[in-house]
Structures are given as C-alpha cells and as structure tokens.
Amino acid sequence: MSGPDPAVVIGGGVVGLSAAYQLAEAGVRTVLLERDELGSGASRATADVVRTYFPGSPVSSAMAVRSLAAYRSFAERAGAPVPLRRVGYLVLFGEEEQVAACEADLPAQRAAGVEVELIGADEARRRNPLLGDVPLVAAAWAPDAYVSDTAAIVGGLAEAARRAGAELRTGCPVKAVDIGAGRVDTGDGPLTAHAVVCAAGAWSAPLARSAGVELPLGEPVEQELLACGPPPSGAPMPDIPMTLHAPSGLLVRRRGDGLLVGMGYPGADRDGWRARVRERLAEVYPAVAGAEVRTAFTGVRDASPDRTEFIGRLPGAIPFLYAAGFSGHGLCTAPAAGELVRDLYFGRATGIDAARLAASPERV
C-alpha cells in the first residue's frame, strides 16, 4: 500500500466507487467518503441503461465503449456479474438539420468504436412500432444499448473495492479540501491524504473550488424519471428499443408492461413539467395517451455545459483529481472513468484523449 496517508475518494456513486476500486486494486491505500449511502446521488435516478452512442460527443462514446468491455469482463476480474439485456438505442430526427449533424458525427463515432448507422423513417418505425404519426425524416440506430441494474453495479463495485483493500465510509460528508496541506475536512473531523479524488457528483464544484479547480457545473439539478402504465386499450406493450425523440428530448424504454420516461429536468414547476411530458408522450406514442404516469425515481445530478464529463488532474505535491459533470451518463462510463483516474494518478498513458475531458476555459 502507498504511504501512511491514503488517497481519499470523495463520492460513493458509480464513478467514485470505480475510482476507489481501480486505485485499491493498483496497490494504493484508498479511503472513500460518501455523505449518505452508496449510490444515493445521481446513481439513484438512472434509467438502468448502459449504452455506447453519445451523439456529438465521440470522447464520451469512446469512454462508453471501453466501459462496456469492462462491464462484460467484470465478473471474471472482480467476481461481480453485471446484468446486460440488449435493447438497442434509437434516436429519432424530425428535421433535416438533425440528420446532417448525425451524418457529420458518424466518422468520429465509428473511430471511437461505436456501431451506429443512419436509417430511414420506415425502418425506425419498424424498430419502434409504438411510434405515432409524428414528423420523422430519419433516425440513428446503435445496437449496443443494454438494460442493466444500477443497484447491482453499485453493490458489485463496492464489494470489489472492499476486496481490493479500499475502506468505504458512508454518512461522512466532506466540508472542504485543503489540497496544500493534504487535508480533507469531514463531519468526523479532518483526514490527511496523499491524494484526493473528487467524484462527488452534484456537490463536486465547491469541493473542487476549495482545491483550486473551477468546474462549471452550476447548482445541483434534480432529475426525475416517470413510470408510464400500459396502453389503456389493453394491447400488450411492444418490446421497443430505448428511444430518444430528438426534437423534444423525450426518452423512453420499456419497463415491465409500461414505459420508463425522461425528458430533461423538472425545474421549479414540477407539475408543469409533468404535464408537458404527458402531452409529449401522447403526441409521440398515442397508444399510451391516458395511461397512468407517476414518479419512478428522483436523484440529484451534476450537469456540465457540454454534457461531457470533466476528468483531470491538478498538478502539485498533493495530487487533486476530479471526475464529475457526467450529466446523468455516469453509469455508461464509470468503469473507464475509474481507469482514467487511476492512470492520471500514476501519471501514465490513459489510452483516451484525456486533454479533451479536462476542465478548461474552452469547456465553459
């Protein structure tokens, strides 16, 4: 183990747990601090989907491709199987400009290892027969999208981190970081660290700022996912892919005999947002018009300005590393994020263009 003082990881969601696991497995004495319970932040409000295609962000796609491979091999490396049921990811375009942007993005996506193609409107409707008569000119189809189990992933990462030697402390909020002194101030008193990793999700910005890193995350944002009941007609729910209606941001996947639904963030007018979601659902998927729609999950998320994660290292005698701003996509990229934090800690090649993930004025 490394030195008398540990590397301290702040945050017990999938990203923090992944970083703690990777560091501990590499022989680094590691302590993880979580303000609540493991997986109680953004990891609590997830669609349970692991996918590789992130339109307009090939670097996130590269992270997701690497992460999917890690999930598939996690059982062999850590003894914790990850459930993966393939459903595919369909992105619907209602305007020619959206199609042109997709076409321009395809070469970089494929270079990142993503299997994705542009398909016609008829093919899109065959893949999602629940679609109503909404304007549709084309769609992107990416088969590598899987329904998983976030709770199982959190539990598996936690167990793997513990077996590797990491200490996981819950109910231990971090108040500030003094990176010059190598001190982390917690509700249980100060903790001395030889390195600090900030993976605190929505609470990352002020902690990073106290260490001298400006992460433009804004205030924590509450995410809400809704459960939509089965079609009122009694017809069975077709086995549709995870589908994003790009013009509105409406995202659905099948869940039981109904749908799991998301559409941006509720904001202050939660009732108004829910009404807008119901209206959009009825427009895009008329078969579920009038179905019961209720809250499924809520959680607090961190959102970056460009919807791409911030991962980097602040040089100094006491290294400060950060992994935040995942914008609700942490489940898809957590394994690669943990590996990247580990590699940045050791100062070795990452295999991914880490400079594009670092916090910089160009990212604001």
Side-chain angles (χ1 to χ4, degrees):
M1 293 294 183
S2 301
D5 297 326
V8 173
V9 178
I10 306 171
V14 288
V15 174
L17 286 166
S18 177
Y21 164 59
Q22 292 293 341
L23 289 171
E25 189 182 51
V28 180
R29 182 174 173 234
T30 304
V31 174
L32 180 144
L33 308 176
E34 163 57 42
R35 61 186 289 149
D36 198 345
E37 297 298 322
L38 298 177
S40 59
S43 299
R44 188 176 63 187
T46 170
D48 283 332
V49 170
V50 172
R51 59 183 168 95
T52 59
Y53 177 43
F54 287 84
S57 183
V59 65
S60 291
S61 295
M63 294 274 288
V65 168
R66 182 167 163 176
S67 293
L68 178 59
Y71 279 134
R72 285 171 168 159
S73 65
F74 196 59
E76 300 173 10
R77 295 184 294 110
V82 175
L84 293 170
R85 179 173 64 84
R86 196 177 202 181
V87 295
Y89 183 38
L90 185 67
V91 182
L92 308 172
F93 302 128
E95 302 171 358
E96 292 293 346
E97 292 80 0
Q98 294 169 333
V99 178
C102 175
E103 288 181 316
D105 186 45
L106 285 180
Q109 292 289 338
R110 289 168 177 157
V114 179
E115 184 181 348
V116 58
E117 63 177 322
L118 193 64
I119 62 174
D122 290 343
E123 175 65 19
R125 294 185 187 280
R126 280 194 292 271
R127 292 191 179 276
N128 187 339
L130 199 64
L131 278 169
D133 188 22
V134 290
L136 180 61
V137 293
W141 170 248
D144 278 331
Y146 304 80
V147 173
S148 187
D149 184 332
T150 305
I153 291 174
V154 168
L157 285 171
E159 181 59 27
R162 289 189 184 100
R163 279 205 306 268
E167 178 185 351
L168 310 182
R169 300 182 188 176
T170 57
C172 187
V174 173
K175 299 177 179 179
V177 175
D178 185 339
I179 199 63
R183 188 180 72 246
V184 178
D185 294 327
T186 78
D188 297 331
L191 181 64
T192 305
H194 80 267
V196 176
V197 179
C198 180
W203 296 273
S204 292
L207 292 174
R209 189 174 300 117
S210 69
V213 176
E214 194 64 37
L215 296 179
L217 298 179
E219 293 299 316
V221 177
E222 186 168 17
Q223 171 71 46
E224 180 172 347
L225 297 177
L226 303 173
C228 173
S233 67
M237 178 67 69
D239 196 14
I240 66 171
M242 179 178 178
T243 304
L244 173 66
H245 181 244
S248 65
L250 181 71
L251 183 69
V252 303
R253 75 160 177 86
R254 181 171 175 175
R255 180 173 180 256
D257 58 359
L259 297 173
L260 188 65
V261 183
M263 194 176 81
Y265 301 106
D269 183 9
R270 192 173 296 271
D271 289 339
W273 172 80
R274 289 176 185 147
R276 290 191 296 275
V277 174
R278 290 188 181 94
E279 181 181 352
R280 193 63 62 198
L281 262 176
E283 177 186 350
V284 181
Y285 303 109
V288 298
E292 179 190 13
V293 178
R294 55 182 173 78
T295 300
F297 309 107
T298 61
V300 179
R301 288 185 175 177
D302 51 340
S304 67
D306 58 5
R307 306 279 289 176
T308 299
E309 53 269 46
F310 292 110
I311 304 177
R313 170 177 171 156
L314 180 69
I318 307 292
F320 180 83
L321 302 103
Y322 52 88
F326 286 79
S327 304
H329 305 145
L331 189 68
C332 301
T333 57
E339 293 172 2
L340 191 54
V341 166
R342 176 203 62 202
D343 292 342
L344 290 171
Y345 169 89
F346 285 110
R348 61 196 190 198
T350 63
I352 283 181
D353 187 2
R356 295 178 62 183
L357 295 171
S360 64
E362 293 75 26
R363 294 282 308 277
V364 177

